[in-house]
Amino acid sequence: MDFQLSDDQRALRAGVRELLAGRFGRDRMRAALDAGTGIDRALWRELGEAGFFALRLPEAEGGVGLGLPESVLLFEEVGRSLLPGPLIATHLAAGPVKGAAQGEAVVAVLDPGQSVAHLGEADALLVLGPGGAPRDAARVRDAADPVRSIDPFTPLWRIAGPVEADDPLPGGERLRDEGALLAAAEQLGSAARTTEMAVQHAGTREQFGSPIGSFQAVKHLCAGMLVRTELARCAVYAAAVTADPVEIAGAKLLADDAAVRNARDSLQVHGGMGFTWESDVHLHLKRAWLRSGQWLTAAAAEEVLAGDLC
């Protein structure tokens, strides 16, 4: 089996990277961070017009007609860019939720027992559970309270009581697995980006008259980051091809580990500069921590893997 990306897949990935760099480059990301703004509805609609949310819808339903491997490439680029918003839930809701495919609606995910990200700006919710089902966000928002979030780009809300969902979606039992895989792809993109940032800094920052990248301790940190990234990439890409729940659980574990540990090591390479507000490394670390607890936690993934051994 050939796991190399096709020319079309490479072109898709390059196009998304160019789109995100043009619409949510570092200057715009920093401006949004300083302004404390939430989801950019205009950008959301631009993503919808570009087919970001309708990527896997059949062409007969107005979609692009591609598959899970192509979605993974898109969300890997999202992870590199720190683009905020419930992109995964809106992507998964394209079709069942009116306006999601076109970027007219923002769909957040509700995982019972967990805080809900971006509930304040959501038009609809995707309720995880047996069957998975949509739910109007306004009725839930009235009974929710905002809570402090570690990620400045991801506001969180706590819902006190149980939430009743609408009718289950066809194929809704796959939502959690597919969401976990796309979250793993975002973690993979973040891990790759923090590795690049560490290598770039190590090649230009000098101490004792030499680039710090020439010192063995820094080399080891960067090499370890690359190994974790490529190991996670193999697992995420393979799981995208098979869509097997066990392989998805393994991919999420490896990608979570790569994203969190790479961001930590990148902080070490950057030294004191990495802890300043002006550096982007801490933003990647905070987002990686948050994603690790979304869609499929480490404990739940380990249960899936352990169950497969019996």
Side-chain angles (χ1 to χ4, degrees), residues 153-235:
F153 275 123
T154 309
L156 296 176
W157 295 66
R158 180 184 295 122
I159 299 172
V163 175
E164 295 181 3
D166 297 334
D167 295 335
L169 298 172
E173 66 280 358
R174 297 195 302 270
L175 289 176
R176 185 183 294 279
D177 288 335
E178 292 181 355
L181 178 61
L182 298 180
E186 289 186 339
Q187 296 285 58
L188 170 61
S190 179
R193 181 65 189 128
T194 51
T195 301
E196 293 169 2
M197 294 164 69
V199 171
Q200 182 180 25
H201 184 75
T204 55
R205 176 69 171 172
E206 292 189 359
Q207 285 290 341
F208 310 112
S210 300
I212 62 172
S214 63
F215 304 141
Q216 191 174 46
V218 177
K219 288 180 181 178
H220 284 178
L221 282 176
C222 294
M225 294 167 68
L226 179 62
V227 170
R228 284 193 292 269
T229 300
E230 294 308 312
L231 183 61
R233 187 187 307 282
C234 293

Side-chain angles (χ1 to χ4, degrees), residues 38-70:
I39 296 171
D40 184 338
R41 290 276 183 166
L43 176 57
W44 210 259
R45 284 190 291 272
E46 283 188 59
L47 292 174
E49 292 170 0
F52 188 94
F53 301 116
L55 188 79
R56 290 196 295 143
L57 280 182
E59 293 183 37
E61 298 178 19
V64 184
L66 296 178
L68 201 53
E70 286 76 20

Side-chain angles (χ1 to χ4, degrees), residues 5 7-19 70 72-74 76-77 80 233 237:
L5 300 182
D7 291 341
D8 288 343
Q9 289 172 327
R10 290 192 183 92
L12 175 67
R13 183 173 62 180
V16 174
R17 184 174 297 189
E18 183 178 356
L19 172 68
E70 286 76 20
V72 160
L73 297 178
L74 261 62
E76 184 180 345
E77 295 304 317
R80 292 175 59 89
R233 187 187 307 282
Y237 284 9

